[in-house]
Amino acid sequence: MGKKAQATAILDSVNSSGRHYRDSLPMIASENILSPMVAKAVNSDLHGRYAEGLPGKRYYQGCDDFDSIESLGIESAKRVFNCNFTNIQSTSGTVSNIAALKALAKPGDTITAVSTADGGHISHARMGAVGVRGLGLVTYPWDIDRMEPDIDASIKIIRETKPNLALFGQSVFLFPTPLRELADAAHEVGAKVMYDGAHVLGLIAGGQFQDPLREGADVMTGSSHKTFPGPQGGFVLSDSSDEKFHRKLNNSIFPGTCSSYHLHHVAGKAVALAEFEEFGSDYAKNIVSNAQSLASALAAEGFDVLAEDRGYTASHQVLTRHGEIDSGAGRKAADLLEKSGIITNMNMLPGDTKAMQPSGLRLGVPELTRVGMGIDEMKDVANFFARALIKNEETSKIKSDVREFKSNYQTVKYCFDEGPAYPGLE
Ligand SMILES: Cc1ncc(COP(=O)(O)O)c(C=O)c1O
């Protein structure tokens, strides 16, 4: 293949991927779409620029406009997350975590965190950022029924281990962490407390989940593109008023973990923050009510939905089990759903030990909510699941029905200047 043909083939696949999502029900819990104004900022000249340092204190010339952008973004983030300190430069949730781990712990220190098997993120594990920082890891005992750290046993672990840092938050995240009790125990033994809100940041900012910075977290990190509906990137947040600590956190992003911090995404984040100030609490409320509606509708269709006793979910996620532990039933279900026009991910559930052969699915509703679906549409979505996985209908027929259904939800909401949710497709 000639090189131009190769480049053209890549663009064709980019388009094809866009059409795939446009015509499907995208239900990956960590994904979202851009508003038209955020997309403008992201697709701008800033893409090619550098601005090392902070507003007013740059190492490069040419940054006056970007200084205003970043300053507006920082102030907006302080209002959105209700805190004294925000750094909006991080290029991802993982980078935010590496930076926070750099600021809060030193190599050889011990941290406590949720294990990846129980829903902790890879950056909380030795294979990820915790290992990169050379930290010792002790994981919390898990309460399977409540789908959260077992409070008494975790307090005991914290008291015995005396970690330097207690990290909370998960990728599989149905219910708020019982943070007050656990943070108190951590502070008693002299540990700092970090809360990774990558998944639930938009729910937190929208007042719908929990308020970690008031419940004992010294630092909160997160992604800017999951339930917080901005461009790919991250935040580092704290309510401390200690300026020395602020400098430490800023330095842990630049020069600690980033040189270029993707100015176009910082501008996109600043726009997304302004939009969140206007529309965020409605968006967060509707995400949670949609997740609860989807969970009940799936249970009514006959699915095994986790955490029935707690009302299934208090977040943007729903967990379903599709067969025996370690059977790979989650993988099979995800495959069948994709053939039917529904994009999900297989997920380990309590008891599973094989990441590639799990029994469950993790479902998310941020994108379906963003294109205007509400609690009634969640029943339609559950019905598509039942046709694919319980009634074993022909997947091509379901896929064409999904496509027709989705054609009614093609506008991105909860933003200024609503516009095409999947723009620029040929
Ligand atoms: C709890 C948690 N932390 C961090 C991350 C990493 O975020 P990013 O993908 O923005 O690096 C994720 C990703 O899903 C996550 O679930």
Side-chain angles (χ1 to χ4, degrees):
M1 195 192 292
K3 294 307 162 200
K4 174 122 193 240
Q6 182 179 324
T8 306
I10 291 167
L11 286 185
D12 285 347
S13 295
V14 169
N15 258 309
S16 166
S17 173
R19 288 194 299 271
H20 184 36
Y21 281 82
R22 177 194 66 195
D23 297 337
S24 305
L25 297 175
M27 297 183 69
I28 306 278
S30 53
E31 293 184 351
N32 215 314
I33 47 177
L34 296 184
S35 75
M37 284 182 81
V38 171
K40 250 187 211 164
V42 167
N43 190 21
S44 69
D45 176 78
L46 285 172
H47 175 269
R49 307 298 161 197
Y50 266 77
E52 296 185 340
L54 287 164
K57 285 181 239 149
R58 303 291 186 193
Y59 290 83
Y60 296 161
Q61 297 306 117
C63 297
D64 285 359
D65 293 310
F66 188 68
D67 278 358
S68 326
I69 293 167
E70 190 174 348
S71 299
L72 281 170
I74 289 170
E75 290 312 310
S76 184
K78 285 183 188 169
R79 292 189 294 274
V80 165
F81 299 110
N82 186 20
C83 59
N84 280 318
F85 169 85
T86 67
N87 181 301
I88 65 169
Q89 298 175 345
S90 164
T91 51
S92 75
T94 299
V95 166
S96 304
N97 284 350
I98 297 172
L101 291 176
K102 182 171 180 340
L104 297 171
K106 58 183 187 321
D109 280 356
T110 301
I111 84 160
T112 47
V114 175
S115 77
T116 48
D118 292 325
H121 187 246
I122 44 179
S123 60
H124 309 173
R126 282 193 201 89
M127 66 178 128
V130 163
V132 169
R133 285 294 290 150
L135 304 171
L137 174 68
V138 177
T139 56
Y140 304 115
W142 192 249
D143 184 330
I144 290 177
D145 296 327
R146 294 187 57 77
M147 291 298 282
E148 65 186 23
D150 180 313
I151 302 182
D152 292 339
S154 297
I155 289 176
K156 189 161 176 276
I157 287 278
I158 290 169
R159 289 197 175 131
E160 283 170 8
T161 312
K162 297 188 176 42
N164 306 85
L165 177 63
L167 168 58
F168 299 99
Q170 299 117 240
S171 302
V172 179
F173 213 165
L174 294 179
F175 301 105
T177 301
L179 192 59
R180 282 184 202 283
E181 298 90 325
L182 298 169
D184 280 352
H187 285 143
E188 267 168 38
V189 300
K192 289 276 189 202
V193 174
M194 170 177 161
Y195 181 99
D196 179 349
H199 260 268
V200 287
L201 213 52
L203 307 182
I204 288 169
Q208 294 299 315
F209 197 62
Q210 66 182 133
D211 192 1
L213 295 176
R214 253 61 50 194
E215 293 166 20
D218 300 298
V219 171
M220 177 160 73
T221 55
S223 307
S224 50
H225 50 269
K226 293 179 175 138
T227 54
F228 181 85
Q232 291 261 345
F235 294 108
V236 177
L237 310 160
S238 173
D239 203 30
S240 164
S241 46
D242 176 354
E243 292 192 357
K244 208 167 141 210
F245 187 52
H246 297 177
R247 277 198 296 281
K248 198 171 187 186
L249 292 172
N250 278 328
N251 287 340
S252 71
I253 290 288
F254 174 84
T257 43
C258 297
S259 169
S260 166
Y261 44 82
H262 305 181
L263 275 54
H264 56 318
H265 282 198
V266 173
K269 264 183 253 184
V271 174
L273 284 159
E275 292 189 327
F276 201 93
E277 291 198 67
E278 190 89 7
F279 305 101
S281 61
D282 275 351
Y283 180 49
K285 209 181 315 146
N286 291 341
I287 288 177
V288 175
S289 60
N290 277 351
Q292 290 170 341
S293 170
L294 176 69
S296 310
L298 287 168
E301 293 282 2
F303 288 101
D304 178 3
V305 186
L306 266 65
E308 181 181 1
D309 291 350
R310 293 195 74 182
Y312 303 115
T313 182
S315 75
H316 59 306
Q317 297 183 5
V318 173
L319 299 177
T320 49
R321 198 188 288 276
H322 296 269
E324 296 297 312
I325 283 171
D326 284 338
S327 63
R331 169 196 281 275
K332 281 191 205 116
D335 276 351
L336 255 180
L337 287 170
E338 185 166 14
K339 290 193 179 89
S340 311
I342 303 172
I343 303 171
T344 62
N345 64 272
M346 62 179 176
N347 219 97
M348 285 169 74
L349 298 180
D352 281 327
T353 60
K354 296 180 186 159
M356 295 304 283
Q357 293 299 324
S359 62
L361 293 177
R362 184 188 68 172
L363 311 172
V365 297
E367 186 165 337
L368 300 188
T369 307
R370 198 92 195 287
V371 293
M373 293 190 198
I375 51 177
D376 289 338
E377 285 77 16
M378 293 302 111
K379 294 174 193 149
D380 298 323
V381 172
N383 186 255
F384 286 125
F385 272 70
R387 288 174 59 189
L389 300 178
I390 295 177
K391 296 172 189 157
N392 299 318
E393 279 184 35
E394 184 57 50
T395 52
S396 58
K397 170 75 177 110
I398 306 170
K399 189 172 185 171
S400 94
D401 290 350
V402 163
R403 185 182 172 145
E404 196 189 323
F405 174 73
K406 181 72 182 303
S407 68
N408 300 307
Y409 302 96
Q410 293 292 320
T411 302
V412 59
K413 311 274 186 183
Y414 306 98
C415 58
F416 305 118
D417 300 345
E418 291 179 2
Y422 307 91
L425 297 173
E426 289 151 21

